């Protein structure tokens, strides 16, 4: 590779440098591969140069000449500087190939002699074009130009002239330019006609988190990552600088305070601040301290000339200029944070003091009072505690946690209630808000000094809940918390409720989990602790439902009895969730949907992030069962985003997302998510979700036509669920998939045995949809055994039953099996009908399978799938079953085992097993004998 220009070829770009840009980079990469040009654009710090370097390093091959320039603002006034960067090192190579006038003009421009763009305009323009063509004659040329906005005007004009006239010459441009909005049009007009404009936008919170982790700023609480994302507005440069400032600052900001802004960013975003008057700057400082600043609020805080001063700031680009009603909005959150960070501490306190009386909202007034106060103050602490309670009632647990921490900091050591009480409440609010890292940190701090058993047990509960599904990581906590609880039934109830979860997640023992939950409910009832009693009863009910225990419905009724607590009733581990699980396992899909939808609305109103993650997932599951695959896929992806952003429920969300992708999205994505779910569950030691992850993976493998892989995964599920004590086949609904995969691999007897065992439990529990799916699997067993008519009749019944139950996707799968069994012949069970049903469900992966099957099995008279006694060829071989006859017919056509497997939707192993049976029944030894035998019968 020939590299020219003003900086060296960078080292190969690390994957962490292009986090969140995979799709954009893919589009740019394809454009470059086609021989086109690319223009990257976006605001300062958004990562344009990073992406440009990554692409340039990929496309700078040994056979390609790379010309580089990178302009700077301080040098933008120097004419022809960028041109010198691009062509200075190749002048000797190309000068002899240029006409004399062009050579003279180019040498004069590059050496700074008298010739200028105005004096030798045409000759110089043609010289640049000719130079690029001369280089391209030796091999492809890639022009890499960063920061086009700072290119000197002379070089920019010349580059644009050449770019518009290159035509089919193998010269590509890869450029980056700083823009706001759609300002890239001007630069696009100066680019080759085939240029692809790629705008780099803001990072999501999850991408900001990943970027910070990759750069070593690990261990930041999720609430802090959320603040970094908000303050940076998703700008990766700003986010990294904020992360660095936090890592280097030994004193974290107080709750409610903006993040510390490093000097590098202050200079970048506040370079226009010096043009403001002192009074206008003071007004902007008041606005930066307010949560929702308005002109009225600024007036109430003593800023008499707020209108004129904010108008001045807007003219300088510090405030948004578009109509915002009464709101005062900064052009970028970083400006607000930098203004606040620039102000002396005393001035900040004065601003907060003014806002503590000016703000109309009691929560805001309390927050400002705290930030204006130094040291302990009982009155401020009491107001903050009241404000935290109000925020909790409004459904803002994250705000409540922040206010609670402020209340604790201002609480005197001898004050009642004490600081630890307020810290524990803040930790519990943080758990509700999904800020588990913050909650864990608060609880650990309390445990370093708390001596009261109640405080210690509450703190331990937060530590355990913050572990999520990784309960094995806090195994050493349980003996300590039992010792702290002593013989207090109220505290012991809390401990045994958590031990119930441990039994389920870590030990994989449903029976022990049920027993611990029942004991917790009894202890809580004795102590009058209704919240713990309700949660324990709900847990007990869910385990009984999954175990197929007869007491399940009765325990749900106990959990739903009054008095109820609203925050427990809508909790993802509460009675409402237990009732939903019972409804969906009992095939009551419409009622299950209305139940979970109501729960989702309530937890969103209350700001219960963890419960929201789970209820979005459960709603997706309901839509998937109903055959609404597109809606299920959207919800599953939303749940996955929420889970990754919050770090909550990632394994369950990955399981459901895998199932949804297999039904209505991308099968490769389904496989990846299934493997991810299994890996995460194994890392956490979560026995229950190892099983769920394998169920999703096995289903995706079945959809991907990997029958052997599906059998391997789903056999493991069978072993795990047997060990867990799960008897209800409606829990994972994997039995039909495993039976179908076993049929495809030729293990028909095992498939029949599996169906019979699962059917016994489904009959006992009244699981109608499970029975229908098991009958569909049994029909496939019968077809494999040659019982064609019985299989057709059974599948026809199954399709009708699933349609009546509202299981659209399973109905379509039954129709597909019918069509395959009938060879796709026209009629109500044709491939066209199966395609119609899958299309109605938006089940794209299944629809593609139907289309493939229809193309591979065109309907013709006397096809091998015709099993009538009058058919040609093997009609006289009465001893062969249907599947055996079809395989033998394809052998006669000269098909290989692999081709037969593809055409009949079975595995190669099944083909081999079927041929073995054919040889035995006909008394022959090889596939050649089949052809000879059939040919002999035809001549008779």
């Amino acid at each position: 590779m020939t590299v020219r220009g003003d900086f060296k070829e960078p080292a190969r770009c690390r994957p962490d440098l292009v986090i969140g840009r995979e799709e954009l980079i893919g589009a740019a990469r394809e454009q470059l591969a086609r021989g086109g040009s690319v223009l990257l654009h976006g605001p300062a710090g958004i990562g344009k140069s990073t992406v440009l370097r990554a692409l340039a390093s990929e496309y700078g091959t040994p056979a390609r000449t790379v010309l580089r320039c990178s302009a700077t603002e301080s040098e933008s006034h120097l004419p022809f500087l960028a041109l010198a960067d691009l062509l200075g090192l190749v002048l000797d190579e190309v000068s002899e190939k240029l006409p004399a006038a062009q050579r003279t003009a180019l040498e004069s421009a590059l050496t700074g002699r008298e010739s200028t763009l105005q004096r030798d305009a045409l000759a110089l323009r043609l010289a640049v074009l000719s130079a690029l063509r001369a280089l391209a004659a030796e091999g492809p040329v890639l022009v890499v130009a960063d920061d086009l906005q700072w290119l000197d005007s002379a070089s920019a004009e010349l580059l644009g002239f050449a770019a518009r006239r290159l035509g089919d010459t193998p010269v590509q441009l890869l450029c980056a330019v700083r823009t706001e909005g759609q300002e890239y049009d001007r630069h696009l007009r100066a680019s080759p006609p085939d240029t692809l404009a790629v705008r780099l936008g803001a990072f999501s919170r999850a991408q900001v988190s990943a970027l910070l982790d990759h750069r070593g700023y690990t261990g930041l609480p999720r609430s802090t990552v959320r603040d970094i994302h908000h303050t940076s507005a998703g700008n990766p440069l700003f986010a990294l600088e904020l992360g660095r400032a936090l890592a280097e600052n030994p004193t974290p900001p107080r709750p409610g305070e903006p993040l510390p802004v490093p000097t590098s960013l202050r200079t970048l975003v506040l370079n226009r601040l010096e043009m403001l008057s002192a009074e206008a700057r003071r007004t902007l400082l008041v606005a930066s301290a307010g949560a929702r600043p308005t002109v009225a609020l600024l007036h109430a805080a003593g800023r008499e000339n707020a209108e004129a001063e904010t108008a001045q700031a807007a003219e300088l680009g510090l405030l948004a200029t578009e109509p915002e009603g009464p709101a005062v909005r900064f052009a970028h959150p970083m400006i607000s944070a930098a203004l606040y960070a620039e102000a002396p501490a005393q001035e900040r306190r004065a601003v907060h003091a003014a806002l503590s009386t000016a703000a109309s909202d009691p929560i805001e007034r309390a927050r400002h009072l705290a930030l204006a106060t130094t040291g302990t103050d009982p009155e401020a602490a009491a107001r903050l505690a009241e404000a935290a309670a109000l925020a909790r009632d409004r459904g803002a647990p994250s705000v409540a946690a922040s206010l609670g921490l402020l209340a604790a900091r201002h609480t005197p050591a001898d004050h009642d209630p004490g600081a630890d009480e307020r810290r524990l409440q803040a930790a519990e609010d943080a758990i509700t808000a999904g800020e588990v890292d913050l909650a864990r940190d608060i609880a650990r701090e309390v445990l370093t000094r708390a001596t009261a058993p109640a405080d210690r047990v509450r703190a331990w509960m937060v530590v355990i809940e913050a572990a999520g599904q990784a309960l094995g990581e806090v195994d050493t906590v349980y003996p300590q918390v039992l010792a702290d609880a002593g013989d207090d039934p109220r505290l012991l109830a809390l401990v045994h409720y958590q031990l119930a979860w441990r039994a389920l997640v870590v030990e994989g023992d449903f029976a022990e989990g049920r027993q611990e939950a029942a004991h917790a409910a009894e202890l809580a009832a004795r102590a009058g602790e209704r919240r713990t009693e309700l949660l324990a009863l709900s847990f007990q009910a869910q385990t009984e439902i999954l175990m197929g225990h007869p007491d399940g419905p009765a325990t749900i009724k106990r959990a739903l009895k009054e008095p109820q607590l609203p925050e427990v009733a809508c909790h993802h581990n509460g009675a409402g969730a237990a009732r939903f699980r019972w409804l969906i396992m009992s095939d009551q899909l419409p009622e299950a949907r209305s139940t979970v939808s109501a729960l989702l609305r309530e937890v969103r109103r209350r700001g219960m992030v963890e419960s929201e993650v789970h209820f979005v997932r459960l709603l997706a599951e309901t839509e998937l069962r109903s055959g609404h695959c597109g809606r299920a896929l959207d919800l599953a992806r939303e749940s996955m985003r929420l889970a990754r952003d919050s770090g909550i429920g990632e394994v369950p969300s990955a399981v459901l997302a895998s199932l949804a992708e297999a039904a209505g999205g991308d099968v490769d994505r389904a496989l990846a998510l299934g493997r991810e779910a299994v890996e995460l569950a194994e890392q956490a030691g979560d026995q229950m979700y190892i099983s769920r992850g394998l169920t999703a993976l096995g289903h995706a493998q079945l959809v991907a036509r990997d029958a052997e892989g599906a059998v391997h995964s789903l056999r493991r599920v069978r072993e795990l669920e047997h060990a867990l004590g799960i008897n209800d086949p409606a829990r994972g609904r994997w039995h039909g998939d495993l039976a179908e995969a076993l049929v495809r691999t030729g293990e028909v007897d095992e498939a029949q045995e599996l169906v019979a065992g699962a059917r016994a439990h489904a009959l006992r529990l009244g699981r109608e949809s499970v029975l229908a799916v098991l009958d569909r699997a049994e029909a496939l067993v019968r077809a494999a055994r040659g019982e064609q008519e019985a299989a057709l009749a059974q599948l026809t019944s199954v399709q009708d039953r699933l349609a009546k139950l509202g299981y659209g996707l399973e109905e379509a799968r039954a129709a597909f099996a019918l069509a395959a069994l009938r060879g796709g012949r026209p009629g109500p069970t044709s491939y066209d009908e199966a395609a119609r049903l899958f299309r109605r469900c938006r089940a794209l992966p299944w629809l593609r399978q139907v289309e493939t099957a229809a193309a591979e099995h065109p309907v013709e008279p006397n096809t091998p799938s015709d099993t009538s006694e009058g058919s040609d060829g093997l009609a006289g071989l009465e001893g062969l079953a249907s599947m055996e006859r079809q395989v033998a017919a394809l052998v006669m056509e000269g098909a290989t085992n692999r081709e037969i497997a593809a055409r009949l939707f079975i595995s190669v192993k099944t083909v081999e097993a079927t041929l073995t049976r054919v040889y035995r029944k006909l008394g022959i030894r090889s596939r050649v004998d089949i052809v000879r035998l059939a040919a002999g019968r035809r001549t008779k």
Side-chain angles (χ1 to χ4, degrees), residues 69-72 76 82 145-156 159:
C69 70
S70 183
T72 63
S76 60
D146 199 2
D147 283 320
L148 279 185
Q149 74 278 1
W150 303 132
L151 234 64
D152 63 272
S153 58
S155 297
L159 189 60

Side-chain angles (χ1 to χ4, degrees), residues 9 12 67 96 178 227 275 294 312 317 360 455 506 515 523 529 534 571 610 621 684 792 813 851 881:
E9 174 68 9
R12 186 169 182 81
L67 308 176
E96 295 302 320
R178 181 187 301 181
D227 290 344
M275 301 174 68
T294 63
Q312 181 190 2
S360 59
D455 287 349
V506 179
Q515 184 177 344
L523 288 166
E529 188 63 34
L534 289 171
H571 194 276
E610 183 174 9
E621 180 183 346
L792 287 169
R813 287 181 64 180
E851 291 169 347

Side-chain angles (χ1 to χ4, degrees), residues 2-17:
T2 305
V3 180
R4 323 284 187 179
D6 67 337
F7 54 89
K8 295 180 180 179
E9 174 68 9
R12 186 169 182 81
C13 189
R14 301 194 313 275
D16 63 285
L17 295 179

Side-chain angles (χ1 to χ4, degrees), residues 739 752 755-756 759 773-783 791 794:
Q752 181 61 62
V755 168
R759 180 182 282 128
V773 169
L774 290 171
D775 283 353
R776 184 183 67 205
E778 186 174 60
L780 298 178
V781 171
R782 287 179 167 176
Q794 192 169 21

Side-chain angles (χ1 to χ4, degrees), residues 274-332:
E274 294 178 358
M275 301 174 68
L276 280 177
S277 67
E279 289 301 310
R281 182 166 178 160
R282 171 86 173 181
T283 295
L284 286 195
L285 176 60
V286 176
S288 73
R292 291 173 296 277
T294 63
V295 173
L297 177 65
L298 296 177
H299 278 305
R303 308 312 301 162
E304 297 177 357
N305 298 316
E307 289 92 342
E309 289 159 355
T310 54
Q312 181 190 2
E315 288 177 4
L316 293 172
L318 294 166
L319 295 180
T321 55
E322 63 267 24
E324 289 289 325
V328 175
R329 189 170 71 83
F330 285 89
H332 193 286

Side-chain angles (χ1 to χ4, degrees), residues 246-268:
L246 283 167
E248 294 174 355
N249 189 354
T251 306
R254 299 166 66 191
E257 278 189 340
L259 296 174
V261 179
T263 304
S264 58
L265 290 184
R266 296 186 206 178
T267 303
L268 182 64

Side-chain angles (χ1 to χ4, degrees), residues 482-777:
L482 276 170
D484 284 331
D487 56 2
D488 186 330
R490 180 174 64 89
L491 301 179
L492 285 171
L494 289 169
V495 180
H496 283 282
Y497 174 66
Q498 292 297 344
L499 285 170
W501 278 107
R502 181 190 177 280
L504 186 65
V505 172
V506 179
E507 300 296 334
D509 191 330
F510 271 67
E512 183 184 348
R514 173 180 177 269
Q515 184 177 344
E516 288 283 6
H519 186 39
E522 179 187 345
L523 288 166
R526 191 193 318 164
E529 188 63 34
R530 185 61 173 163
R531 182 181 188 278
T532 307
E533 182 187 7
L534 289 171
L535 286 171
L537 285 171
S538 300
F539 181 98
Q540 181 184 343
Q542 293 222 45
T543 55
E544 288 172 350
I545 291 167
L546 295 174
M547 293 169 67
H549 196 284
D551 290 348
T555 307
I556 288 178
K557 288 181 180 179
R558 287 176 61 199
L560 289 169
K561 279 184 179 178
E562 296 295 337
Q564 288 291 315
L565 301 177
E567 69 275 13
V568 177
C570 66
H571 194 276
H572 61 279
N573 290 325
R579 181 172 179 271
F580 162 81
R581 180 56 58 195
W582 180 76
L583 287 169
I584 200 166
M585 292 176 70
S586 302
D587 301 321
Q588 300 181 54
L589 296 181
E591 194 168 352
R593 181 185 292 106
S594 63
T595 297
V596 74
S597 296
L599 290 167
L600 180 58
R601 285 193 298 272
E602 181 62 15
V603 298
R604 280 175 170 164
R605 187 185 71 81
R606 292 175 171 272
M608 299 169 66
V609 174
E610 183 174 9
S611 293
E612 180 184 1
V613 172
H614 290 292
F615 287 141
V616 170
R617 173 176 55 84
L618 295 180
L619 182 56
E621 180 183 346
T622 310
E623 298 295 354
L624 190 59
R625 298 277 177 88
S626 303
H628 304 153
C629 299
R631 172 70 173 151
L633 184 59
D634 289 343
L635 287 165
R637 287 173 176 173
E638 180 185 351
S639 176
M640 196 74 237
R641 285 193 299 271
L642 281 170
R644 284 177 171 161
D645 279 355
S646 63
I648 295 169
E650 291 185 71
V651 179
S653 293
V655 168
L656 200 282
S658 173
L659 293 170
E661 292 283 354
D666 180 85
V667 179
D668 289 338
R669 178 70 177 146
L671 291 165
L673 283 164
R675 294 188 182 99
E676 178 184 338
V678 174
E679 182 180 351
L680 289 173
E682 288 176 339
Q683 288 173 359
D686 187 334
Q687 299 300 310
M688 184 170 62
Y689 269 98
I690 293 174
S691 164
R692 296 301 301 272
L694 286 166
T695 297
L697 177 58
H699 177 75
Q701 289 167 324
L702 184 68
V703 177
R705 305 281 299 280
D706 177 11
E708 286 85 358
V711 167
H712 176 75
S713 297
L714 296 175
R715 275 176 173 161
R716 283 189 63 193
V717 175
R718 180 174 60 189
E719 295 167 3
L720 284 166
E721 293 208 350
H722 177 74
L724 288 166
I726 298 174
N727 296 315
D728 192 334
R731 183 257 182 178
R733 296 177 180 264
W734 50 267
H735 307 76
D737 282 349
L738 177 54
E740 183 174 337
L742 287 167
V743 170
R744 291 188 189 181
T745 58
E747 294 160 284
V748 178
D749 292 341
E750 183 181 344
Q752 181 61 62
E753 183 181 348
L754 171 68
V755 168
R759 180 182 282 128
H761 290 295
L763 282 168
R764 175 175 60 85
L765 297 166
R767 305 300 191 219
E768 292 298 327
S769 64
V770 173
L771 287 168
V773 169
L774 290 171
D775 283 353
R776 184 183 67 205

